[in-house]
Amino acid sequence: MENTATNKLVGTKIKELRVLDGLTQKQLADELSISDKHLSKIENGHKSASTALIDKLCTIFKKTPAYFFAGKDIADEIDAEDLSLLLEML
């Protein structure tokens, strides 16, 4: 059974990014190698996005997977000092 609340959140995020980038459903669907009908179902929360699809979306829109599920990137939560400390640890 699919989690419709999660599907709706993910779909909304995908649509927001697509519109902000000025892409049509057809254009984004072509980049994702899926049909525009399938993308429409995902954007409307009727289908879930696979992990492979989320990975492609992260690459296209330069987002982390967390963005699609939580509505923001983890980088949005980290200030410059914390980021500097994290980078030093690597």
Side-chain angles (χ1 to χ4, degrees):
M1 186 167 153
E2 294 185 15
N3 184 335
T4 55
T6 300
N7 289 353
K8 287 180 183 180
L9 174 63
V10 171
T12 298
K13 289 298 172 187
I14 293 169
K15 184 175 182 175
E16 285 174 1
L17 291 171
R18 176 180 62 77
V19 171
L20 283 172
D21 252 26
L23 298 171
T24 64
Q25 281 186 336
K26 175 84 171 108
Q27 290 169 321
L28 181 56
D30 287 346
E31 283 192 59
L32 296 169
S33 301
I34 62 173
S35 72
D36 54 332
K37 289 182 181 186
H38 187 74
L39 179 57
S40 176
K41 288 178 182 179
I42 292 170
E43 285 186 354
N44 289 308
H46 300 296
K47 290 279 185 186
S48 61
S50 68
T51 54
L53 193 70
I54 294 292
D55 187 49
K56 287 181 184 180
L57 289 162
C58 289
T59 300
I60 292 167
F61 294 117
K62 297 176 179 35
K63 298 291 182 186
T64 64
Y67 177 84
F68 295 96
F69 297 97
K72 53 188 163 189
D73 277 319
I74 191 166
D76 294 340
E77 297 290 315
I78 300 173
D79 63 25
E81 185 179 327
D82 290 340
L83 183 57
S84 180
L85 289 171
L86 285 171
L87 292 174
E88 286 176 16
M89 293 166 40
L90 297 176

